[in-house]
Amino acid sequence: MSEIVSSYCIWIFIVPALTAMFILLFGNKKFLREWVALIGMIITLIISIVILIETQSKVLIEFGSHLRIDSLSSLFSFIISVIGLMVIIYSFKYVEREKEKGIISDKKVKSFYWQVMLFISTMLFATTTNNIIILWVIIEATTLASAILVAFYWNKDSVEAGYKYLMLLTVGISFALFGCVLLYSGAASSLIKGEPLQISVISEAAKAGIIPSSIILLAVAFLIVGFGTKAGIAPFHAWLPDAHAEAPTPVSALLSGVMIKVGVYALIRTVTMFYTSFSIISVFIVILGIFTMVVGVFMMFIQEDLKRFLAYSSVSQMGYIIMGLGLSGVVPAMSGVVKDGSYISMYGSLFHIVNHSIIKSLLFLCVGAIVFKTGIRRINELGGLGRKMPITAFCFFIGGLAISGVPMLNGFMSKFTLFLAGVKVPGMVWTTVVAIICSILTLASFVHVSYRIFMGPISSELKSLNISEVPASMWLMMFVLVLFCFILGVSPQVIYPILNNATNVVLSIISKGGL
Amino acid sequence: MEGAGIISTLSLSIVVTTIAVIEFRNLKYSAYAYCLQALLMCSIFIVFASKGNPHIYLWALFAFITKVVIIPFLLLRYIKKTTIREIKPPIGYLPSIIISCIIMIIFYNITHVNANFIAPNVEATKEPFRTILAVSFTIFVLGLYCILIRRDAIKTVHGLCILENGVHLSLVSLAPTLPETAIVGVVTDVVIAVYLTLYVIYGVYREFGTTDTYQLKNLRW
């Protein structure tokens, strides 16, 4: 593919960063911060759409290829921009309400907006950079930018969550720094063309077998621990339910919808290039994925807090994504060529990343609507909300069905692809069996929870409250996401060209001899 | 390489300061020990730079600004705001010293003997790089031990700083050609991470009245 120099590579993350700075400096008026955030996000979305279209046939580079956007990066930056815009629009009423209730001060509202914009900016930067050390720096920066948002309410629970979030992620990510430095030095120690800091150059070096094989396993182990912590892979997921539950709900939607995917992106960029060096790597990743999936799904059943319930559902769904990521390397690891289910498992994995972003943001926004009206998160204190909040109930049901993989909805399409992948890859049928069982358990838990929240008599805690549907700016965002669920569920071919290109990028990283 | 003896001596004294940081029960003294450790690290950089790698002088400068000045300042400031005495850890004074010494000896030996598995090239398996590499991995593991075993939240931040120093020190052996921009990015991240963690810990102190992490048990499962 031809590489062309394009300044879009800079603008995509500079625009939200500038917006954040503007809000920080001048955001004391309500309309200034809200409208500036909205306009900034719309511009970012437009840039990401342009990039998405451009990268289907070319690769965009800038600063001597230190910033590099191919179709894999543009897929992630597109997801981040779309979900980011939804979350910003949703936040208007949500944050305003929190301020009216006296939970947060006006100063905090301002810090909410600029920190969310900064958070989005760091995530976009992470998908754009081609420099391995900067990749680490910026993934750590996503943690730092969101840390104060996690501890936003500054009460007992949220400072505890904030402390755990910062501590676990910083320690976890330090492992990844060791891994990144090892990769850099492995590539730097030999004579190769280009600068060894660049991930694309490192993957060329890995393909050519230049990186000494003695350090590969250690580096990969460090990278999996480091970026796996960010991606919420069990057993490094301990920060995830705390942070997701205690952050303000729009931030939870961002954390769960996109931030953990950035961890997966970093894994794809740094680990997949070694699949053909050691066959154990891909199998290990498959096992981690299955473990994550099972842990997540069982923890869902014992949750009393609605947001923690969704957080564990995220852990479980990350398991599917990681499983697909590992499956794509099983055959190439043995034969050195990409065939027999490599394509389909990578495709399924990327498709599930897109779908999980949509569905999990939708579910968190629905829970946000419930918290907005009732202020209650405990499942056993809620009940009978369906008649009072019909749109929220409908959206939550669709989200629950989609995430469990019910046909006609998008979750089915990606999960079915992953099931097929398990069958196609030799010796991996058991993964399909486990994945199907986990899907059924997910469906069971979601039906159970939806029933308890929305059906039956109105619970005693809610009787005194005057509950009605949430404002249009909130339910409209949920509705748009439901529409995405249906569109991708009924005609998944609309996204095929984009995913196909992104999959081919990953497969060209994996394969030794080209496609 | 000339000066290998000095570098090895300095890096081994870093291990001693690490034990001091972990084992001092007075958090203030721990912070001073950390400051000393960072100073030793800077001197390693300077010795290394004087042997024909002039751009490492810049690393030494960044390390001095962040690790000798800013981080100890932040630590001392927040120690002053909270408590100076560390919350009693689950392992007593003497057993803890013995455990950390055992960890130190085992890991130092493992990494020193098996340096080939970590070193990306032949150069890095020679002295003094071999010793630096072994020391940096040992510090990393000791930092991890400190974070895992201690109850006091501020002490875990000390552990975090030690751990980051381990990574930073390994850069000399593993990637001496790393450009300054990358170094600036890494040290900036570390400073901000330490600052934010201390800030949140101060929030914990105000809400819970203590920096004991065993009290943080509202969120479970």
Side-chain angles (χ1 to χ4, degrees):
Chain A
M1 267 200 212
S2 61
E3 294 187 344
I4 58 159
V5 177
S6 162
S7 58
Y8 287 131
C9 300
I10 310 172
W11 289 114
I12 180 118
F13 63 87
I14 285 291
V15 169
L18 286 178
T19 318
M21 204 178 286
F22 184 87
I23 297 171
L24 174 64
L25 294 175
F26 309 107
N28 292 323
K29 292 260 167 27
K30 180 173 175 286
F31 73 94
L32 263 179
R33 55 190 176 229
E34 288 185 355
W35 285 99
V36 169
L38 180 64
I39 292 165
M41 235 18 254
I42 289 173
I43 296 171
T44 313
L45 181 62
I46 292 169
I47 296 173
S48 74
I49 290 172
V50 173
I51 287 179
L52 189 68
I53 296 165
E54 288 268 312
T55 49
Q56 297 311 310
S57 55
K58 336 185 224 307
V59 177
L60 307 182
I61 55 168
E62 182 63 280
F63 290 135
S65 187
H66 275 288
L67 299 176
R68 186 171 188 275
I69 305 186
D70 53 19
S71 46
L72 180 67
S73 313
S74 64
L75 175 69
F76 278 84
S77 54
F78 179 66
I79 299 171
I80 296 167
S81 318
V82 171
I83 304 292
L85 180 64
M86 301 270 171
V87 165
I88 288 286
I89 297 174
Y90 182 91
S91 303
F92 290 167
K93 289 281 176 198
Y94 190 90
V95 179
E96 194 57 31
R97 174 72 172 233
E98 305 258 282
K99 195 179 121 192
E100 279 167 15
K101 277 187 188 166
I103 301 173
I104 51 175
S105 62
D106 192 58
K107 216 174 136 193
K108 277 236 150 181
V109 177
K110 178 177 139 185
S111 73
F112 174 86
Y113 281 106
W114 75 258
Q115 285 176 12
V116 165
M117 291 311 287
L118 188 68
F119 182 35
I120 292 171
S121 163
T122 53
M123 287 191 290
L124 287 167
F125 194 1
T127 59
T128 315
T129 182
N130 189 29
N131 181 318
I132 189 142
I133 303 291
I134 299 295
L135 177 73
W136 179 85
V137 168
I138 213 69
I139 287 206
E140 170 72 6
T142 58
T143 309
L144 302 178
S146 52
I148 299 299
L149 287 173
V150 169
F152 191 66
Y153 295 122
W154 218 251
N155 54 27
K156 271 192 171 183
D157 287 351
S158 57
V159 288
E160 180 182 343
Y163 170 71
K164 286 180 179 170
Y165 179 75
L166 266 169
M167 211 63 200
L168 290 171
L169 277 182
T170 310
V171 172
I173 292 272
S174 301
F175 279 91
L177 179 58
F178 251 133
C180 289
V181 170
L182 279 174
L183 288 194
Y184 163 74
S185 53
S189 62
S190 52
L191 293 164
I192 45 163
K193 276 184 284 176
E195 208 177 325
L197 266 182
Q198 294 178 2
I199 298 169
S200 49
V201 174
I202 293 173
S203 62
E204 290 300 319
K207 245 186 232 179
I210 291 172
I211 295 183
S213 58
S214 57
I215 65 165
I216 288 178
L217 277 183
L218 190 69
V220 166
F222 278 147
L223 289 168
I224 290 178
V225 173
F227 293 136
T229 310
K230 193 81 189 170
I233 299 176
F236 320 118
H237 68 284
W239 61 273
L240 195 146
D242 296 351
H244 283 34
E246 298 310 323
T249 312
V251 178
S252 307
L254 271 182
L255 287 173
S256 188
V258 286
M259 191 193 82
I260 50 180
K261 272 72 173 186
V262 176
V264 176
Y265 172 82
L267 273 182
I268 294 177
R269 281 284 178 206
T270 51
V271 172
T272 51
M273 61 174 101
F274 297 114
Y275 277 173
T276 47
S277 310
F278 285 99
S279 56
I280 184 100
I281 296 173
S282 50
V283 177
F284 180 66
I285 292 179
V286 171
I287 292 170
L288 265 185
I290 295 286
F291 180 65
T292 309
M293 191 189 291
V294 173
V295 167
V297 100
F298 279 106
M299 295 303 282
M300 278 166 78
F301 281 96
I302 56 169
Q303 296 310 316
E304 274 301 312
D305 184 317
L306 199 44
K307 283 172 87 175
R308 285 181 87 81
F309 169 78
L310 291 183
Y312 274 109
S313 157
S314 280
V315 173
S316 165
Q317 300 304 313
M318 288 315 278
Y320 284 87
I321 293 166
I322 299 296
M323 179 190 91
L325 189 63
L327 282 176
S328 66
V330 173
V331 175
M334 287 185 280
S335 59
V337 279
V338 173
K339 61 172 185 186
D340 283 354
S342 294
Y343 179 88
I344 195 169
S345 32
M346 199 63 232
Y347 187 91
S349 187
L350 289 176
F351 198 6
H352 203 60
I353 287 176
V354 176
N355 288 341
H356 183 246
S357 295
I358 295 170
I359 302 168
K360 198 41 66 65
S361 311
L362 166 65
L363 286 169
F364 266 114
L365 296 190
C366 291
V367 171
I370 295 169
V371 176
F372 180 82
K373 279 294 170 189
T374 65
I376 296 172
R377 272 178 10 204
R378 293 187 74 79
I379 295 170
N380 55 8
E381 288 172 10
L382 294 163
L385 279 173
R387 265 159 290 161
K388 304 271 190 181
M389 304 171 79
I391 301 174
T392 308
F394 170 74
C395 294
F396 191 89
F397 266 116
I398 296 295
L401 294 177
I403 207 161
S404 339
V406 171
M408 296 291 287
L409 291 162
N410 58 353
F412 170 73
M413 287 300 165
S414 50
K415 282 194 172 182
F416 193 66
T417 319
L418 285 170
F419 298 159
L420 275 182
V423 176
K424 268 198 137 186
V425 176
M428 287 288 163
V429 182
W430 60 279
T431 58
T432 306
V433 177
V434 179
I436 290 176
I437 294 171
C438 285
S439 278
I440 295 168
L441 290 175
T442 311
L443 181 63
S445 62
F446 264 100
V447 167
H448 176 69
V449 166
S450 319
Y451 184 82
R452 277 172 71 181
I453 301 171
F454 294 111
M455 302 293 181
I458 290 203
S459 69
S460 50
E461 279 87 354
L462 300 177
K463 273 188 181 134
S464 54
L465 298 166
N466 180 22
I467 300 165
S468 56
E469 193 50 77
V470 289
S473 77
M474 288 172 76
W475 66 254
L476 211 59
M477 290 306 112
M478 282 139 58
F479 210 71
V480 171
L481 289 169
V482 166
L483 213 60
F484 286 164
C485 286
F486 274 113
I487 292 170
L488 290 181
V490 176
S491 59
Q493 61 270 29
V494 292
I495 201 169
Y496 170 75
I498 298 167
L499 287 177
N500 178 42
N501 282 332
T503 310
N504 284 332
V505 167
V506 186
L507 293 184
S508 70
I509 297 174
I510 294 176
S511 79
K512 263 208 160 87
L515 282 177
Chain B
M1 187 180 150
E2 213 185 320
I6 303 173
I7 292 182
S8 295
T9 317
L10 283 174
S11 56
L12 289 174
S13 39
I14 283 185
V15 181
V16 178
T17 53
T18 308
I19 302 277
V21 175
I22 297 175
E23 295 308 337
F24 278 147
R25 291 295 143 87
N26 185 322
L27 291 170
K28 230 164 141 183
Y29 294 157
S30 277
Y32 292 145
Y34 173 78
C35 191
L36 181 67
Q37 184 191 49
L39 212 55
L40 286 170
M41 222 172 82
C42 285
S43 40
I44 287 189
F45 288 157
I46 289 171
V47 173
F48 192 66
S50 65
K51 305 291 173 205
N53 296 287
H55 80 281
I56 306 254
Y57 279 123
L58 267 176
W59 291 24
L61 182 68
F62 297 140
F64 185 83
I65 295 170
T66 56
K67 296 191 186 232
V68 181
V69 180
I70 300 178
I71 291 182
F73 168 75
L74 288 172
L75 280 173
L76 288 172
R77 194 171 150 218
Y78 278 93
I79 289 168
K80 209 172 165 188
K81 279 186 181 179
T82 55
T83 47
I84 291 179
R85 287 303 292 181
E86 185 191 346
I87 311 274
K88 204 167 176 286
I91 298 180
Y93 197 60
L94 199 62
S96 180
I97 289 185
I98 295 171
I99 292 176
S100 38
C101 285
I102 292 173
I103 292 176
M104 179 181 86
I105 293 165
I106 292 178
F107 266 86
Y108 183 80
N109 272 321
I110 290 177
T111 35
H112 201 259
V113 172
N114 301 311
N116 299 352
F117 284 100
I118 312 157
N121 50 30
V122 188
E123 188 68 12
T125 59
K126 290 179 189 152
E127 294 293 344
F129 301 105
R130 206 182 174 105
T131 307
I132 293 182
L133 209 53
V135 165
S136 64
F137 267 75
T138 312
I139 301 176
F140 188 83
V141 175
L142 283 173
L144 213 55
Y145 163 76
C146 180
I147 292 168
L148 290 177
I149 219 76
R150 291 312 169 102
R151 283 176 76 162
D152 194 298
I154 303 261
K155 195 77 183 188
T156 59
V157 179
H158 282 92
L160 185 68
C161 298
I162 297 174
L163 185 138
E164 301 282 359
N165 272 0
V167 183
H168 204 136
L169 190 60
S170 75
L171 295 181
V172 178
S173 304
L174 294 176
T177 51
L178 205 65
E180 287 78 33
T181 45
I183 294 288
V184 173
V186 172
V187 294
T188 317
D189 257 10
V190 172
V191 170
I192 297 175
V194 168
Y195 172 66
L196 285 178
T197 316
L198 287 169
Y199 183 64
V200 172
I201 288 172
Y202 184 55
V204 170
Y205 181 73
R206 279 201 314 195
E207 291 294 326
F208 289 81
T210 169
T211 51
D212 185 359
T213 49
Y214 280 23
Q215 302 294 322
L216 302 178
K217 52 189 179 190
N218 289 359
L219 308 174
R220 280 217 165 158
W221 301 113

